[in-house]
Amino acid sequence: MVEIELDGKKVEVAEGSMVMHAAEKAGTYIPHFCYHKKLSIAANCRMCLVDVEKAPKPMPACATPVTQGMIVRTQSDKAVTAQKSVMEFLLINHPLDCPICDQGGECQLQDLAVGYGGTKSRYEEEKRVVFHKEVGPLISMEEMSRCIHCTRCVRFGQEVAGEMELGMSHRGEHSEIETFLGQSVDSELSGNMIDICPVGALTSKPFRYHARTWELSRRKSVAAHDSSGANLVVQVKNNQVQRVVPLENEEVNECWIADRDRFSYEALNGAERLTQPMLKQGGEWKEVDWQTALEYVANGLKNIQRDHGAASIGALVSPHSTVEEAYLAGSLLRGLGSDNVDARLRRAEFVAGEGVQWLGTSIASLTALQRVLVVGSNLRKDHPLFAQRIRQAARHGAQVNAIASSAQLSAAGAWALPVANSVVTDASGWAQALADVAVAIAADKGVAAPAAGNATVQAQAIAKSLLGGERKAVLLGNGAAHHANASSLLVLANWIGEQTGATVGYLTEAANTVGVQWAKAQPQTGGKNAAQMLDGSLKAAILLNTEPEFDTAAGAAAVAALDKAEMVVTLSPFKANMDFSDVLLPIAPWTETSGSFVNAEGRLQSFHAVVKPLAETRPAWKVLRVLANLLDIPGFAFETSQDVLARATAQPLNLSNAIRAEVRLGGAVSAPAVAAIYQLDSIVRRAPSLQLTADARRAQEVKA
């Protein structure tokens, strides 16, 4: 540790730290623009000049290493005069357009100009003009004349997103931040550039001109799409969500969020929202009141239960539903006498006695890993925030290994991080590839392998990597979780983990994949699983937040199967499943209801509604409670969602990736059902700006 004196106070910081770090520890604010705690030091803006004793001139706090006994003054005349001079220089070419700037009211330059700027400018020449750039549907670069060349956005792309999409061209007064050769900004984390821009050069294109920052109410929430459980601040005006930004939580999402969590709110204000219960009568959809709709559903379920038995009724629950919604859906079905409830919609294999699949380690620990093996995942697109953490680990020397299909790991840099060793094979070869790695590990350790295999060159390289280092993880992606031979992949992964000292876990697909397992939204006593419910045998189906054509492994076949049912009830925020449903019940999306999600590491996070439910929309947990009351099912006397949560979580969450199964190798296996990044759930599918991105267009081209 090094001790320095900062504004008369003694501060101890680690050797190699900068003066800025010492100031942060002491709680002393030093004005700055280019410095950001998550990015490398550039020392571009010089706004953080401080007075260092014995130094001949003011020094940049962000780039001046501390030395023993150093004396620093941040408020001396020398420091303040230097800071004011830098501010005058920064404002020379800055356009005076604060009244029309979307960043107005939350702009670092605006704030610091109040304290360090002059009352008028001595600069009388013409200001420079930088023409706007078109970089895609999410980020607006309309006013690049505001740019102060801090290069935060450039460094974010290189260091956090993993891809240098923006750069600075030319020199001096001709310098510009731009993409090159007319490219767009396509990173799945690109919206974070808007947050870190200290001026109004980069702004949100969907939010642009919708509201002023001081008009917005700010409410905390949790991401509804990301299995990291990213913490959010949802900003509201006139009972509408206007913007979503990250809430810093170092253990979960740091200060970043994925674009699908940032921009998906557009769907919540869209024309496809279902605002009134609807019944299909004579092939025509008609709006009805809640009492009529719920009585119709209750009577229909009673009749089907009487005529065909409770086993003919089933429920498909989205893993994006809250813990409370999933628990009540399961309780409703079991109250009717049916165990046909499942949230494992995209799974192809269902094994009895499996544990609650989870990450196997903490999210924060991903950054500190030294060895990683990822199986069956397009890591960057499936899990942007997890990929970001593993990318940081790779930047510090971690070896990342992969077993994936060519679609998941095709082009160089597909994950935007260095992959040390990889086996590129289609889904049918993943189990064999893992077995080969196991054989190589077994040969090195002199133990019996769990399955037959060949210690190929690639397998030996992955084995050698996993046998080295200290902090290690084997991570199974969405493709591995939905694999027709998922149990074999898990058995092999667990063996490799035991032999190498690596943790084993699933990256988990949805916002509440762990939570719906905890809420027992899957068969407990031999009921039908999701695949069996979609074979055409159900007489009544309840679809909670689910569009089977897009959300299940059955795909288009699910539509034909459900079309055979006597009654299909869809609970959705949107006009969905209209071709085969008989009843549509408008339920609140995550912004309009209270509830809880459990993220990949098993962290339970509850949230409140940030806006009132739209029109006749009602929270799904209330709809299920009233429906159960109409069906005379006991145990549904819940007053609040917290009451439901207490019941649902009465049993502790036993996280376990253990499984007993025989290893099966080879055989024809179709590609697992894995949704593209902006096709994951009903909300992102209806977010206009996200559907205009390069990722969404590529997914549509592949589908076509």
Side-chain angles (χ1 to χ4, degrees):
M1 299 294 284
V2 174
E3 184 180 83
I4 72 168
E5 182 182 307
L6 184 76
D7 291 339
K9 294 188 292 186
K10 300 292 185 182
V11 184
E12 273 196 358
V13 289
E15 189 174 354
S17 298
M18 302 296 159
V19 172
M20 184 70 82
H21 301 140
E24 287 179 342
K25 186 173 182 180
T28 300
Y29 178 72
I30 298 175
H32 59 273
F33 293 113
C34 68
Y35 171 77
H36 190 282
K37 63 184 178 181
K38 293 293 183 181
L39 303 177
S40 62
I41 292 168
N44 287 337
C45 72
R46 319 306 281 187
M47 189 65 210
C48 64
L49 292 175
V50 293
D51 181 6
V52 179
E53 194 166 277
K54 297 183 180 178
K57 59 183 181 180
M59 304 294 288
C62 69
T64 303
V66 295
T67 58
Q68 186 64 37
M70 175 185 277
I71 298 175
V72 180
R73 301 180 184 89
T74 68
Q75 302 294 329
S76 68
D77 290 343
K78 184 177 181 181
V80 173
T81 299
Q83 291 163 0
K84 287 186 174 181
S85 297
V86 170
M87 177 58 72
E88 182 179 25
F89 176 74
L90 288 174
L91 293 175
I92 278 177
N93 272 308
H94 198 79
L96 300 177
D97 63 349
C98 293
I100 61 136
C101 179
D102 254 18
Q103 199 87 326
E106 53 185 8
C107 171
Q108 277 181 263
L109 183 66
Q110 192 178 53
D111 292 343
L112 292 178
V114 173
Y116 298 90
T119 56
K120 64 177 183 178
S121 175
R122 294 182 289 172
Y123 185 77
E124 296 180 352
E125 286 74 22
E126 290 183 359
K127 292 177 182 279
R128 77 173 196 150
V129 174
V130 180
F131 292 108
H132 75 272
K133 316 291 191 300
E134 177 54 52
V135 294
L138 305 180
I139 297 178
S140 172
M141 295 180 74
E142 290 286 329
E143 286 90 13
M144 290 307 293
S145 297
R146 299 171 185 161
C147 180
I148 61 170
H149 306 139
C150 70
T151 69
R152 277 186 179 183
C153 55
V154 177
R155 285 175 285 144
F156 173 84
Q158 286 178 292
E159 299 163 17
V160 180
E163 195 169 16
M164 186 177 171
E165 295 181 296
L166 292 174
M168 187 157 69
S169 61
H170 311 303
R171 301 184 67 184
E173 67 172 343
H174 302 295
S175 298
E176 293 185 28
I177 298 291
E178 60 179 332
T179 60
F180 294 91
L181 303 176
Q183 297 295 308
S184 56
V185 175
D186 299 323
S187 167
E188 60 286 345
L189 298 171
S190 65
N192 294 290
M193 294 180 184
I194 299 166
D195 293 337
I196 62 175
C197 180
V199 296
L202 304 181
T203 54
S204 168
K205 191 172 282 188
F207 172 70
R208 191 173 167 83
Y209 300 140
H210 274 64
R212 309 298 284 176
T213 181
W214 53 85
E215 298 175 316
L216 300 171
S217 299
R218 291 163 174 76
R219 288 143 195 186
K220 296 179 182 178
S221 193
V222 179
H225 318 292
D226 201 318
S227 60
S228 68
N231 289 194
L232 310 175
V233 174
V234 182
Q235 301 184 348
V236 176
K237 178 186 177 185
N238 296 336
N239 205 47
Q240 277 197 340
V241 176
Q242 297 290 342
R243 186 166 60 169
V244 176
V245 296
L247 175 65
E248 186 170 350
N249 185 332
E250 197 63 26
E251 294 182 345
V252 179
N253 57 300
E254 300 175 88
C255 54
W256 317 120
I257 56 173
D259 286 352
R260 64 185 171 198
D261 293 321
R262 183 184 298 271
F263 297 108
S264 63
Y265 73 87
E266 282 189 294
L268 306 179
N269 306 325
E272 285 194 60
R273 282 295 301 271
L274 178 65
T275 58
Q276 184 83 20
M278 300 180 76
L279 295 181
K280 185 186 287 183
Q281 297 178 336
E284 299 271 329
W285 281 104
K286 295 182 179 179
E287 292 185 348
V288 297
D289 58 56
W290 272 104
Q291 187 70 23
T292 302
L294 290 175
E295 287 181 354
Y296 181 91
V297 174
N299 291 332
L301 291 175
K302 287 177 182 177
N303 292 337
I304 291 170
Q305 181 188 31
R306 182 193 64 226
D307 297 341
H308 303 286
S312 66
I313 304 172
L316 297 173
V317 178
S318 168
H320 297 277
S321 300
T322 65
V323 172
E324 295 83 351
E325 293 165 359
Y327 174 77
L328 290 182
S331 298
L332 176 70
L333 265 291
R334 294 183 185 108
L336 289 169
S338 171
D339 192 38
N340 303 336
V341 58
D342 208 349
R344 301 167 296 175
L345 304 182
R346 293 192 174 99
R347 291 272 287 274
E349 184 188 37
F350 303 86
V351 179
E354 64 183 15
V356 175
Q357 297 178 351
W358 71 298
L359 187 60
T361 185
S362 69
I363 291 172
S365 70
L366 297 178
T367 311
L369 290 174
Q370 296 176 340
R371 300 289 188 272
V372 188
L373 171 59
V374 180
V375 181
S377 174
N378 183 342
L379 183 64
R380 176 181 174 187
K381 300 302 180 183
D382 291 346
H383 307 283
L385 293 180
F386 293 161
Q388 184 274 133
R389 284 194 180 266
I390 294 172
R391 190 173 297 121
Q392 301 315 308
R395 284 171 55 83
H396 291 95
Q399 293 181 7
V400 180
N401 308 284
I403 295 174
S405 68
S406 58
Q408 294 167 331
L409 191 67
S410 51
W415 289 0
L417 55 81
V419 177
N421 308 289
S422 64
V423 176
V424 179
T425 178
D426 60 26
S428 61
W430 292 349
Q432 186 62 64
L434 269 177
D436 293 346
V437 173
V439 166
I441 292 172
D444 185 274
K445 299 193 71 174
V447 297
N454 299 308
T456 63
V457 174
Q458 296 100 320
Q460 289 178 8
I462 294 174
K464 182 180 178 182
S465 175
L466 291 175
L467 287 165
E470 296 179 359
R471 298 179 296 276
K472 316 167 205 179
V474 179
L475 301 173
L476 301 171
N478 295 350
H482 303 156
H483 199 277
N485 204 358
S487 60
S488 295
L489 297 178
L490 181 55
V491 169
L492 290 166
N494 279 334
W495 187 91
I496 291 170
E498 289 169 7
Q499 297 299 319
T500 62
T503 63
V504 178
Y506 286 90
L507 293 165
T508 73
E509 178 186 38
N512 203 30
T513 298
V514 176
V516 293
Q517 295 174 82
W518 192 6
K520 295 183 171 54
Q522 59 193 52
Q524 302 294 304
T525 57
K528 293 181 178 180
N529 58 46
Q532 292 168 336
M533 281 189 272
L534 290 172
D535 64 2
S537 60
L538 288 184
K539 297 299 180 182
I542 298 173
L543 308 178
L544 179 58
N545 254 328
T546 299
E547 295 176 85
E549 182 178 357
F550 309 108
D551 294 334
T552 70
V559 176
L562 290 169
D563 206 30
K564 298 176 182 177
E566 291 183 16
M567 185 170 73
V568 177
V569 182
T570 291
L571 290 80
S572 173
F574 304 102
K575 295 175 182 175
N577 305 331
M578 297 185 78
D579 289 344
F580 55 83
S581 291
D582 299 286
V583 187
L584 299 182
L585 301 178
I587 61 169
W590 59 280
T591 53
E592 299 171 20
T593 183
S594 57
S596 307
F597 292 139
V598 182
N599 70 358
E601 67 177 0
R603 182 186 296 260
L604 174 67
Q605 299 183 107
S606 296
F607 53 89
H608 297 288
V610 299
V611 293
K612 295 177 182 178
L614 181 65
E616 289 298 306
T617 298
R618 296 291 181 268
W621 72 267
K622 289 187 177 181
V623 175
L624 292 167
R625 180 196 64 188
V626 175
L627 186 55
N629 292 337
L630 291 173
L631 289 164
D632 300 319
I633 300 173
F636 275 77
F638 301 108
E639 293 296 326
T640 66
S641 62
Q642 286 82 2
D643 294 340
V644 184
L645 179 65
R647 178 81 63 82
T649 58
Q651 296 294 320
L653 175 58
N654 296 317
L655 296 169
S656 173
N657 292 310
I659 193 171
R660 291 186 178 182
E662 291 189 13
V663 176
R664 293 178 287 121
L665 303 177
V669 175
S670 59
V674 178
I677 183 171
Y678 299 133
Q679 295 294 319
L680 186 62
D681 61 70
S682 60
I683 297 178
V684 295
R685 284 195 291 268
R686 290 173 171 84
S689 295
L690 291 179
Q691 296 308 316
L692 293 173
T693 60
D695 280 321
R697 293 198 306 272
R698 277 193 291 269
Q700 290 298 329
E701 289 168 4
V702 170
K703 189 176 178 181

